[in-house]
């Protein structure tokens, strides 16, 4: 049993450390650096598109809840540059709008 645990620990360690060892002299391409730098923005755009895909802008309240939440997220992010704060505040605004509209 001890040898099985030791073998699985060694395998786990090797799979975690080998990519770093193999890539230590690798210089990333420009597109990869740009992707890494802008990944958060890309994820947020996908989430916004997914969240708005079923919004009915021709039925009351005409997407007002979603519009206010998105605008809140944009304004909070421009002011504080904190993605987590933007998500939390815009979610709170959206939930509040759901209750009043």
């Amino acid at each position: 049993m001890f040898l099985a645990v030791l073998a699985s620990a060694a395998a786990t360690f090797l799979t975690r450390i080998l990519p770093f060892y193999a890539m230590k002299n690798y210089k990333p391409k420009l597109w990869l650096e740009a992707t890494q730098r802008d990944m958060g923005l890309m994820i947020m755009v996908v989430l916004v598109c997914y969240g708005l895909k079923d919004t009915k802008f021709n039925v009351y309240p005409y997407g007002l809840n979603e519009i206010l939440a998105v605008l809140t997220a944009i304004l909070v992010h421009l002011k504080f540059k904190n993605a987590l704060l933007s998500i939390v505040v815009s979610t709170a605004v959206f939930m509040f709008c759901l209750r009043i509209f």
Side-chain angles (χ1 to χ4, degrees):
M1 186 64 133
F2 177 73
L3 290 176
V5 171
L6 191 62
S8 65
T12 301
F13 179 74
L14 285 175
T15 57
R16 300 285 192 265
I17 199 71
L18 280 178
F20 292 104
Y21 181 74
M23 302 297 264
K24 69 180 178 184
N25 294 327
Y26 176 72
K27 173 88 170 92
K29 306 282 189 255
L30 286 176
W31 67 269
L32 183 58
E33 289 177 355
T35 302
Q36 290 172 340
R37 183 183 61 245
D38 298 327
M39 183 59 72
L41 178 60
M42 288 188 257
I43 291 171
M44 290 301 293
V45 168
V46 169
L47 288 174
V48 168
C49 291
Y50 179 76
L52 295 178
K53 72 178 175 53
D54 293 329
T55 302
K56 294 179 174 68
F57 291 103
N58 58 351
V59 178
Y60 181 82
Y62 307 107
L64 184 63
N65 303 336
E66 291 84 354
I67 292 169
L68 288 175
V70 169
L71 289 176
T72 301
I74 292 169
L75 293 175
V76 170
H77 192 72
L78 289 175
K79 175 83 173 150
F80 298 105
K81 304 282 191 238
N82 186 332
L84 182 62
L85 182 65
S86 302
I87 293 167
V88 169
V89 171
S90 61
T91 301
V93 167
F94 179 72
M95 292 299 154
F96 178 75
C97 289
L98 282 179
R99 302 288 180 233
I100 63 169
F101 294 121

